[in-house]
Structures are given as C-alpha cells and as structure tokens.
C-alpha cells in the first residue's frame, strides 16, 4: 500500500494520499475512520469486528508488524479487517483486506 486503499470499491482500490486505510510512517497503519486492533487468535468475523468498532474507542493509527490484524470502519460505514502481510520499506505497508457487506 503506497498511499492508501479505498476498501468500499469492488475490488478495493488504491488511493494516492489517504483512503480507508493508509500509511503515514514506517510500521504505522492509519485511518480517517476507526481502527481497532484484532487480538483474538481466531480469524476476524463481521460480527466481532462490528462489536469491537462499536464497543471500543477506535484509534486513527496503530503501530503494526507483519501478521497484525485490525478491524476498520470504511467511509461508507461498512466493516472490514486488514492483515499486515509485509512492511517492505519505511513508506509502505502491504495488507490483505476483507470487507463485509452491510448486515
């Protein structure tokens, strides 16, 4: 992810500056919405991510390492999850994203 990603597009697409998730510095994942770190050992689900986003104070940035996951709220009020797959240099964080349809 150089810049950021819009997660509401199908498929998710790049954003030049920001987006639903983006990087501002090495090892940091950011969002203009809310990010909540996923701490459970199992895979994220829509219902658990929605509960986390509604029940915990979301952050606008998280320090991340490869393998870290976070629930994210999108601009169109959908629920998603991103997993950090690589941090190749000081300006990029690569992620795999899941965005659920509104339920």
């Amino acid at each position: 992810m150089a810049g950021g990603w819009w997660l509401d597009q199908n498929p998710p697409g790049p954003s030049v500056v920001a987006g639903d998730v983006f990087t501002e510095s090495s090892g940091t994942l950011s969002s203009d919405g809310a990010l909540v770190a996923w701490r459970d050992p199992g895979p994220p689900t829509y219902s658990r991510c929605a509960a986390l986003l509604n029940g915990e104070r979301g952050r606008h940035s998280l320090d991340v390492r490869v393998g870290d996951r976070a629930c994210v709220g999108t601009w169109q009020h959908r629920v998603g999850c991103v997993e950090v797959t690589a941090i190749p240099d000081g300006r990029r964080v690569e992620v795999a994203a899941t965005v659920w349809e509104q339920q």
Side-chain angles (χ1 to χ4, degrees), residues 31-45:
S31 174
D32 284 338
L35 289 169
V36 177
W38 178 263
R39 304 275 186 226
D40 292 347
T45 64

Side-chain angles (χ1 to χ4, degrees), residues 38 40 42-49 69-71 80-83 98 100:
W38 178 263
D40 292 347
T45 64
Y46 169 84
S47 59
R48 287 284 293 130
C49 272
R69 295 181 282 192
C71 297
C81 179
V82 294
E83 180 175 352
T98 300
W100 293 280

